[in-house]
């Protein structure tokens, strides 16, 4: 019976470890796959690791992540260890209260912590701005900077803050396991408190310190949400970069990054465990620290030295934060926020080489997500690339700066039909970036008959196989268009009718899920039959699944324009002008159009692209493909551009979307 139980226990343990580590092993294996599939093995290759180390955005985020993680780990380990010792010296009731308080940040949702820290920093920066104006006005010896922004400094402070409780949690149990009489006995035998700390306390709690440091390092490397709200626009961690990459698809390049992270953490664990095992065998952990050193530190002169060292360490930390933040901000740079995979990254490298201006490029999921980010104060960007209706709203709320078109000579290359549009009729705030249409994408191997109408998005026969937009404006537009209403209607009864259509379809199980860029993997992998998305993204998907087809429904659709804007009081205004002018050039538009499959507003690029494509690939561009990229006039006549809606209508959209439960 015991043998059977032992066998069952081993089998259960093997299954548990298989469940835990099989996904990691699969990830590691496919990081060496020659192809870009995560399911089909096509041969061994190191191409994805080479690609990883050549990826400018990833390597910069790796550097930021390691720097922040190492600094945060060191600071949090020291602070958390001494905090745990302080807790240990308190009475039981006081210690229990403090331990409970210490547990709150770990139990609290990361989103709450991240938003709270962001709001705190924004409030402090507002106070600092007012204080610096007053301070610089009453004296002229020291000039304080008038504006502080989210960046490396706030990111590091946030990481230190959320790491300290984990260190306390790791060190605390080791202190409680220690015999309290040991310290008293050591002091009775002539040890000072410092000698007792080095000879008695530290050896006992060393495993807890190592565990706390590893936990802190792992938490820093892995964190996304808190970093997202505190990093600002000038710093991007690896988790943030990977999140931006996975908005469209998971590539083996991400597998390579994850593999290296896993191996690094595993290596650290092995080193710590081997050292602990060797120490237990040899009694090394009991080996005293130099007696002369501890005696020296306990003399009056030594106590002065300890206090001075503490001050120096604290000052060094502050200086490091200031210098690192200053070094980052001292470089000419431009902070850009756009959509996922919406630029040829070679253009970023080319711009940096030509101008010496560093580009911090981040992405947002949707116009609504970008707006929320800007309103929260977490997005201190220079250049943003919102869509037409959101541009109108940003102008309405005085969130954009007027552009200096004298610094943007390439604006003259923009086609006249894309200038003076309703979102910027006086041509003061924008330079068009790209335009396209919205339509239905469906898998011809899963859908027998051609789709021609929006009705497919609400038909029960496709239940569980339809992907709907996860943003209110686009989702409501599909229903409004199907019902024959204007996409810009403000009539409440029409909007509620469209909402009810969406709600009924959701309740009938028509929608597999509400998505944004997750649609790429779902449609490419055949995990859904129908989706609604943007024409350019369809062409990207079709490269990986030739069974996909695209149609602009007979009822009509939305055509959109995304444009480059500069936010109010942008910290790098001239650099923003240089970036916009570079992207507006014909050469950049041709390269970008070929990469993102969206139509260029640059007249020369739009006309030259078929020849550019043929020269680049040695074959002519399919006319049907070009018509999907740049919809012809007869298609655009059936499409409608979004206009900014009145505040009361925007509130109704928000209320209905909340009621829908997305």
């Amino acid at each position: 019976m015991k043998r059977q139980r032992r066998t069952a226990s081993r089998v259960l343990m093997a299954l548990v470890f298989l469940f835990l580590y099989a996904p990691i092993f699969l990830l590691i294996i496919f990081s060496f796959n020659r192809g870009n599939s995560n399911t089909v093995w096509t041969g061994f290759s190191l191409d994805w690791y080479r690609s990883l180390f050549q990826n400018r955005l990833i390597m910069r985020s790796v550097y930021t992540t390691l720097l922040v993680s190492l600094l945060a780990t060191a600071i949090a380990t020291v602070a958390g260890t001494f905090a745990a010792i302080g807790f240990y010296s308190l009475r039981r009731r006081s210690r229990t209260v403090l331990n409970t308080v210490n547990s709150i940040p770990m139990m609290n949702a990361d989103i709450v912590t991240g938003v709270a820290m962001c709001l705190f920093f924004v409030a402090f920066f507002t106070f600092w701005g007012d204080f610096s104006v007053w301070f610089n006005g009453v004296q002229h010896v020291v000039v304080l900077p008038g504006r502080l922004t989210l960046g490396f400094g706030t990111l590091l402070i946030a990481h230190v803050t959320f790491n300290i409780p984990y260190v306390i949690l790791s060190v605390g149990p080791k202190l409680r396991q220690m015999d309290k009489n040991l310290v008293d006995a050591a002091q009775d035998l002539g040890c000072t408190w410092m000698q007792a700390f080095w000879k008695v306390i530290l050896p006992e709690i060393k495993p807890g310190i190592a565990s706390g440091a590893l936990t802190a390092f792992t938490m820093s490397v892995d964190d996304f949400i808190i970093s997202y709200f505190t990093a600002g626009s000038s710093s991007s961690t690896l988790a943030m970069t990977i999140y931006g990459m996975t908005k469209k698809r998971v590539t083996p390049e991400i597998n390579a990054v994850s593999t290296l992270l896993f191996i690094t953490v595993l290596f650290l664990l092995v080193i710590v465990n081997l050292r602990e095992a060797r120490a237990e065998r040899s009694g090394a952990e009991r080996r005293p620290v130099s007696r002369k050193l501890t005696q020296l530190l306990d003399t009056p002169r030594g106590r002065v030295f300890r206090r001075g060292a503490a001050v120096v360490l604290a000052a060094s930390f502050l200086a490091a934060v200031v210098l690192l933040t200053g070094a980052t901000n001292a470089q000419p740079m431009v902070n850009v926020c756009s959509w996922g995979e919406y630029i040829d990254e070679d253009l970023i490298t080319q711009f940096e080489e030509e101008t010496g201006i560093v580009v911090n490029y981040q992405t947002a999921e949707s116009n609504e997500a970008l707006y929320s980010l800007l309103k929260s104060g977490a997005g201190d960007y220079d250049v943003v690339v919102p869509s037409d209706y959101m541009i109108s709203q940003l102008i309405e709320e005085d969130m954009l700066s007027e552009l200096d078109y004298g610094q943007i000579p390439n604006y003259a290359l923009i086609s006249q039909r894309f200038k003076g549009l309703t979102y910027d009729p006086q041509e003061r705030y924008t330079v068009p970036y790209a335009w396209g249409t919205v339509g239905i994408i469906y898998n011809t191997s899963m859908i027998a008959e051609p789709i021609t109408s929006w009705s497919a998005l609400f038909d029960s026969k496709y239940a569980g196989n339809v992907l709907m937009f996860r943003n209110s404006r686009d989702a409501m537009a599909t229903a409004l268009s199907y019902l024959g209403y204007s996409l810009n209607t403000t009539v409440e009864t029409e909007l509620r009718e469209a909402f009810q259509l969406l709600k009924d379809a959701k309740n009938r199980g028509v929608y597999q899920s509400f998505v944004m860029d997750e649609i790429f993997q779902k449609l490419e992998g055949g995990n859904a039959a129908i989706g609604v998305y943007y024409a350019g993204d369809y062409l990207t998907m079709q490269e990986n699944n030739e069974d996909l087809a695209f149609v602009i429904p007979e009822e009509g659709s939305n055509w959109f324009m995304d444009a480059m804007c500069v936010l109010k009081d942008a910290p790098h205004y001239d650099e923003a002008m240089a970036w916009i002018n570079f992207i507006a050039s014909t050469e950049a538009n041709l390269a970008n159009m070929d990469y993102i499959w969206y139509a260029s507003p640059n007249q020369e690029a739009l006309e030259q692209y078929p020849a550019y494509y043929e020269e680049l690939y040695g074959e002519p561009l399919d006319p049907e493909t070009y018509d999907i990229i740049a919809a012809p006039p007869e298609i655009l006549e059936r499409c409608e551009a979004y206009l900014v809606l009145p505040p009361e209508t925007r509130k109704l959209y928000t209320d209905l979307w909340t009621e829908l439960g997305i």
Side-chain angles (χ1 to χ4, degrees):
M1 180 65 71
K2 289 183 178 180
R3 191 170 186 178
Q4 290 178 345
R5 289 179 178 175
R6 191 180 299 115
T7 302
S9 298
R10 290 175 179 174
V11 171
L12 179 61
M13 184 178 297
L15 290 174
V16 170
F17 277 99
L18 180 65
F19 176 77
L20 290 174
Y21 290 102
I24 296 176
F25 290 142
L26 186 66
L27 178 147
I28 293 173
I29 290 170
F30 276 93
S31 72
F32 297 101
N33 190 14
R34 180 176 289 112
N36 62 0
S37 173
N38 286 301
T39 56
V40 179
W41 178 261
T42 57
F44 181 86
S45 174
L46 294 174
D47 289 346
W48 294 110
Y49 286 89
R50 281 192 287 270
S51 176
L52 166 66
F53 289 109
Q54 293 171 358
N55 189 305
R56 183 195 63 84
L57 293 176
I58 291 181
M59 296 313 297
R60 184 178 294 174
S61 65
V62 167
Y63 170 77
T64 301
T65 299
L66 291 178
L67 184 60
V68 168
S69 298
L70 290 172
L71 284 174
T73 298
I75 297 165
T77 300
V78 173
T81 298
F82 282 100
I85 294 172
F87 286 11
Y88 176 75
S89 65
L90 297 174
R91 293 181 179 179
R92 183 173 181 178
R93 180 177 297 179
S94 300
R95 186 169 65 246
T96 301
V97 172
L98 287 176
N99 281 329
T100 301
V101 172
N102 180 69
S103 299
I104 292 175
M106 294 182 290
M107 298 170 63
N108 200 15
D110 281 354
I111 186 69
V112 175
T113 303
V115 171
M117 285 187 171
C118 174
L119 293 176
F120 170 78
F121 286 132
V122 170
F124 175 77
F125 293 160
T126 301
F127 164 78
W128 177 269
D130 295 336
F131 173 76
S132 64
V133 170
W134 170 81
F135 186 80
N136 293 335
V138 298
Q139 57 84 45
H140 301 285
V141 178
V142 178
V143 179
L144 296 179
R147 182 179 184 184
L148 298 178
T149 60
L150 296 174
F152 184 87
T154 55
L155 180 63
L156 178 59
I157 292 171
H159 277 242
V160 171
T161 301
F162 74 73
N163 276 337
I164 287 177
Y166 290 97
V167 177
I168 295 174
L169 184 68
S170 299
V171 175
K174 294 299 179 182
L175 286 166
R176 290 193 291 273
Q177 292 172 9
M178 186 178 67
D179 188 346
K180 292 184 177 182
N181 296 320
L182 286 176
V183 177
D184 293 336
Q187 290 180 319
D188 288 342
L189 292 173
C191 281
T192 62
W193 187 92
M194 182 57 68
Q195 290 174 323
F197 170 77
W198 286 107
K199 295 180 180 181
V200 178
I201 298 177
L202 189 60
E204 291 288 336
I205 66 174
K206 191 162 60 174
I209 295 175
S211 175
L214 278 173
T215 302
F217 181 79
T218 304
M219 293 295 294
S220 282
V221 169
D222 184 59
D223 176 71
F224 165 72
I225 295 178
I226 295 175
S227 298
Y228 180 77
F229 284 100
T230 58
S233 54
S234 60
S235 299
S236 181
T237 65
L238 185 58
M240 294 167 64
T241 301
I242 291 176
Y243 175 74
M245 294 169 66
T246 56
K247 285 181 178 180
K248 297 228 167 179
R249 62 175 60 81
V250 178
T251 67
E253 204 171 43
I254 300 177
N255 295 348
V257 176
S258 304
T259 298
L260 293 177
L261 283 176
F262 174 76
I263 291 174
T264 301
V265 173
L266 181 64
F267 178 76
L268 290 173
L269 285 169
V270 169
I271 292 294
V272 170
N273 288 332
L274 287 177
R275 289 188 62 184
E276 290 301 323
R278 190 180 298 115
E280 288 179 2
R281 287 195 302 269
S282 63
E285 75 274 19
R286 299 293 181 183
R287 194 176 299 151
V289 179
S290 172
R291 181 181 299 274
K292 291 183 179 180
L293 177 61
T294 53
Q295 289 177 344
L296 176 63
L297 290 174
D298 276 317
T299 62
R301 188 174 296 176
R303 286 193 288 272
V304 173
F305 172 79
R306 292 202 313 267
R307 292 166 185 165
V311 172
V312 170
L313 287 173
S316 298
F317 165 63
L318 293 175
V321 173
V322 171
L323 289 174
L324 288 169
T325 305
T328 302
N329 294 334
Q331 294 177 285
M333 68 174 62
V334 60
N335 302 320
V336 181
C337 186
S338 186
W339 316 122
E341 286 192 32
Y342 205 42
I343 189 172
D344 181 352
E345 291 184 6
D346 289 342
L347 292 175
I348 298 177
T349 304
Q350 182 182 338
F351 175 78
E352 291 182 333
E353 291 174 351
E354 290 183 4
T355 65
I357 299 172
V358 175
V359 179
N360 296 310
Y361 191 89
Q362 295 184 18
T363 60
E365 181 182 70
S366 66
N367 284 287
E368 288 69 26
L370 173 63
Y371 177 77
S372 297
L373 192 64
L374 297 178
K375 293 298 284 187
S376 71
D380 187 36
Y381 303 109
D382 300 304
V383 180
V384 292
V385 192
S387 300
D388 33 35
Y389 72 96
M390 184 54 66
I391 294 172
S392 297
Q393 185 172 338
L394 295 177
I395 293 174
E396 177 186 296
E397 298 183 21
D398 194 29
M399 295 175 66
L400 298 182
S401 288
E402 293 190 16
L403 303 184
D404 179 3
Y405 289 96
Q407 298 188 58
I408 313 174
N410 286 329
Y411 183 67
L413 301 174
I414 302 298
S415 172
Q416 286 299 322
R417 66 181 174 131
F418 299 124
K419 291 181 177 180
L421 297 178
T422 53
Y423 60 84
D424 186 13
Q426 297 178 354
E427 301 179 44
R428 296 166 56 194
Y429 299 96
T430 62
V431 172
Y433 179 81
W435 62 276
T437 53
V438 174
I440 295 176
I441 306 169
Y442 63 99
N443 192 318
T444 56
S445 68
M446 302 172 69
I447 304 295
E449 68 283 354
I451 290 177
T452 60
S453 169
W454 288 116
S455 62
L457 299 181
F458 312 103
D459 196 331
S460 293
K461 72 178 179 180
Y462 301 124
N465 264 320
V466 178
L467 303 173
M468 176 53 74
F469 276 118
R470 195 175 60 233
N471 76 72
S472 58
R473 191 72 192 264
D474 283 328
M476 288 285 285
T478 64
L480 289 169
S481 186
Y482 172 63
L483 294 169
Y485 300 138
S486 168
L487 305 187
N488 299 301
T489 182
T490 59
V491 180
E492 183 173 346
T493 55
E494 295 179 355
L495 290 169
R496 290 193 176 276
E497 186 179 351
F499 162 74
Q500 195 61 45
L501 185 62
L502 287 169
K503 184 177 180 181
D504 289 345
K506 178 176 181 285
N507 293 340
R508 285 184 280 114
V510 173
Y511 303 130
Q512 183 186 107
S513 58
F514 287 74
V515 298
M516 288 304 293
D517 286 337
E518 306 94 311
I519 195 173
F520 280 75
Q521 295 186 65
K522 288 181 176 290
L523 287 182
E524 288 176 0
N527 299 316
I530 302 173
V532 53
Y533 221 56
Y534 312 109
D537 290 329
Y538 154 71
L539 292 171
T540 301
M541 294 182 217
Q542 193 190 38
E543 291 178 335
N544 297 291
N545 188 338
E546 295 181 353
D547 292 330
L548 297 178
F550 178 83
V551 62
I552 293 180
E554 58 194 10
E555 298 93 348
S557 185
N558 163 242
W559 85 273
F560 60 87
M561 172 68 74
D562 294 337
M564 295 177 283
C565 315
V566 174
L567 292 175
K568 198 82 170 180
D569 301 323
H572 311 103
Y573 183 85
D574 290 336
E575 291 84 355
M577 296 299 104
W579 170 257
I580 292 174
N581 186 60
F582 173 81
I583 293 297
S585 68
T586 300
E587 295 76 13
N589 270 264
L590 283 169
N592 217 28
M593 190 171 171
D594 184 66
Y595 183 85
I596 66 177
W597 293 110
Y598 282 99
S600 168
N602 180 306
Q603 186 64 34
E604 291 181 354
L606 199 59
E607 294 172 351
Q608 295 175 17
Y609 181 67
Y612 175 89
Y613 181 93
E614 185 170 0
E615 181 181 352
L616 190 63
Y617 298 103
E619 60 183 22
L621 176 65
D622 181 6
E624 291 185 7
T625 299
Y626 187 72
D627 285 346
I628 292 174
I629 298 173
E634 61 269 21
I635 295 293
L636 292 179
E637 286 175 3
R638 295 193 284 115
C639 297
E640 186 178 7
Y642 290 147
L643 301 176
V644 66
L645 299 172
E648 58 272 15
T649 304
R650 298 202 295 263
K651 183 179 184 305
L652 178 59
Y653 263 80
T654 301
D655 294 341
L656 294 176
W657 197 244
T658 301
E659 185 179 341
L660 193 61
I662 306 304

